[in-house]
Amino acid sequence: MTYGEGTPIKRTIRRQQLREMVPLADSTIYEMEQRGEFPRRFALSPRCVVWDLAEVEAWLASRRSAPIARAQPPDVRQRRSRPVQAPGLAQAAASKAG
């Protein structure tokens, strides 16, 4: 059995097994697949999709060897609802009110 570029597939895993290996949400995995950042699923039947276990394991190994920078926290001052003022402005407003 081969898939894609003629690479032999030895073992496939279904969604539940993938969830046990990769603790990401289904939507995150789907988006990463679309961007080419995660191994692509393929259909065995109209109702059954699987992933190549070797590709998933290789992806996990690559993630471990190349750390990913953490996302920056959101700038809460740019929120439309409940914007947070800069510390100096909040103290000035409190002193004027008092």
Side-chain angles (χ1 to χ4, degrees):
M1 176 185 227
T2 61
Y3 172 72
E5 298 149 6
T7 310
I9 295 175
K10 295 186 172 119
R11 182 151 184 242
T12 59
I13 56 173
R14 295 188 68 170
R15 187 178 312 273
Q16 184 59 37
Q17 294 166 301
L18 180 72
R19 283 187 189 126
E20 292 171 4
M21 294 177 67
V22 180
L24 295 174
D26 289 345
S27 58
T28 302
I29 290 172
Y30 177 78
E31 290 169 4
M32 291 176 76
E33 281 180 317
Q34 297 303 307
R35 292 190 307 257
E37 299 173 2
F38 191 82
R40 297 289 302 236
R41 68 188 83 190
F42 58 97
L44 289 181
S45 73
R47 301 184 78 188
C48 176
V49 295
V50 295
W51 287 261
D52 181 348
L53 177 61
E55 288 180 7
V56 173
E57 289 173 338
W59 180 83
L60 284 169
S62 72
R63 292 299 233 199
R64 178 177 284 188
S65 65
I68 296 172
R70 302 274 306 171
Q72 294 296 319
D75 185 358
V76 294
R77 294 170 294 175
Q78 294 182 358
R79 290 193 296 209
R80 290 187 178 152
S81 64
R82 298 186 312 114
V84 176
Q85 295 180 347
L89 296 175
Q91 290 174 353
S95 65
K96 286 181 184 179

